[in-house]
Amino acid sequence: PPPSKPAIMQGAGLSRISTALLSRLPDLSRGLLVREQRRDVHGGRAAKEEKETLRTSVAIVGGGPSGLTLSILLSKFGVNNVVVEKSETVSEHPQAHFINTRTMEIFRQLGTLEDDVQNLSPPLREWRNFRYCESVLGHMFGKIDHFDEYAESSDRLSPTRVAHLSQNRLLPLLLKELGTACPNSTLIMGENFVDLRQNSRSIEIDTINRQGQKKAILADYPV
């Protein structure tokens, strides 16, 4: 049988926090890593190229909030999957910050994720008013409460509430859940998506890292 490989293959430059979280991801015996030798003919001579191939059920391109959430859900249903993320570490920039009610309902199904997000999110009264200004310190054209109607109906419609948590703070929570409760998930950091091909039996995805090393992922479904 092929040797087991870590569930996360990480590039250089991971922050200490990200490395600690990512290193908890368990090994996946369900995702088999094999070595394939491919024969290319150049000028009448055959050259062998050894290529690392990972076989899985679902291949997910992109390790942002959507990709990681999907990976966690698939793992909880017993579906082995691989997430390919081009970044080598979690971004330090805030990026997106608003988490709507439906997303929080999904997080509610994933361990303590809903509580963790709510505990880090400021109360709604501190960010419900949107100010429209000419510039940061310039004239303010107006202020609107975008949650006026929401506050009255939210408790009747859902057991959870919207949250305000930037992506650089959300991703470590998702990585923590991925590492502690998702034995069917594999996260590959620092790999760029290159190409996708389909044959009669599977989908093949090619990736490449900064060192020029190539990998192939064979999957039943790509996302």
Side-chain angles (χ1 to χ4, degrees):
S4 61
K5 292 283 183 178
I8 173 170
M9 306 166 194
Q10 49 197 70
L14 279 169
S15 68
R16 291 172 59 190
I17 296 177
S18 300
T19 303
L21 287 169
L22 297 174
S23 64
R24 297 178 191 170
L25 292 175
D27 291 351
L28 279 188
S29 58
R30 298 170 184 79
L32 298 180
L33 279 163
V34 298
R35 296 283 182 176
E36 288 189 352
Q37 289 187 336
R38 301 192 175 185
R39 189 177 297 272
D40 298 322
V41 178
H42 300 285
R45 294 184 302 170
K48 289 184 178 180
E49 179 190 27
E50 195 174 69
K51 190 173 185 178
E52 193 172 60
T53 301
L54 179 60
R55 302 181 187 274
T56 188
S57 295
V58 180
I60 303 168
V61 178
S66 298
L68 294 181
T69 301
L70 175 58
S71 177
I72 294 169
L73 289 168
L74 288 171
S75 184
K76 289 185 179 295
F77 281 102
V79 180
N80 62 302
N81 63 90
V82 174
V83 182
V84 179
E85 168 56 41
K86 65 180 180 180
S87 299
E88 296 179 341
T89 185
V90 175
S91 173
E92 297 180 357
H93 298 288
Q95 298 177 310
H97 65 91
F98 177 69
I99 305 175
N100 62 31
T101 304
R102 182 58 188 134
T103 301
M104 291 300 293
E105 289 172 346
I106 294 173
F107 286 171
R108 189 178 176 85
Q109 306 171 49
L110 305 179
T112 63
L113 191 55
E114 179 205 15
D115 291 336
D116 293 341
V117 170
Q118 292 288 12
N119 289 337
L120 291 175
S121 177
L124 182 60
R125 66 177 181 274
E126 295 183 6
W127 57 281
R128 64 187 299 158
N129 292 307
F130 286 61
R131 290 171 170 80
Y132 297 88
C133 305
E134 184 179 32
S135 63
V136 175
L137 300 176
H139 172 70
M140 184 175 72
F141 298 110
K143 180 177 70 172
I144 300 177
D145 182 356
H146 282 273
F147 294 92
D148 186 24
E149 297 180 0
Y150 169 82
E152 298 178 0
S153 61
S154 61
D155 292 338
R156 294 187 291 104
L157 300 177
S158 176
T160 188
R161 299 175 67 86
V162 296
H164 172 35
L165 189 67
S166 55
Q167 185 168 316
N168 63 320
R169 302 182 71 192
L170 173 62
L171 286 176
L173 299 180
L174 291 169
L175 289 170
K176 176 183 175 183
E177 181 67 21
L178 198 71
T180 57
C182 300
N184 298 298
S185 294
T186 299
L187 175 60
I188 305 177
M189 302 286 286
E191 294 280 340
N192 275 286
F193 168 83
V194 177
D195 194 15
L196 181 149
R197 295 178 300 280
Q198 181 176 3
N199 57 41
S200 60
R201 293 181 297 175
S202 64
I203 300 291
E204 182 172 349
I205 292 176
D206 291 331
T207 67
I208 189 170
N209 61 19
R210 292 175 60 183
Q211 290 73 41
Q213 298 169 328
K214 299 178 180 180
K215 290 186 178 68
I217 302 173
L218 299 180
D220 298 320
Y221 302 96
V223 179

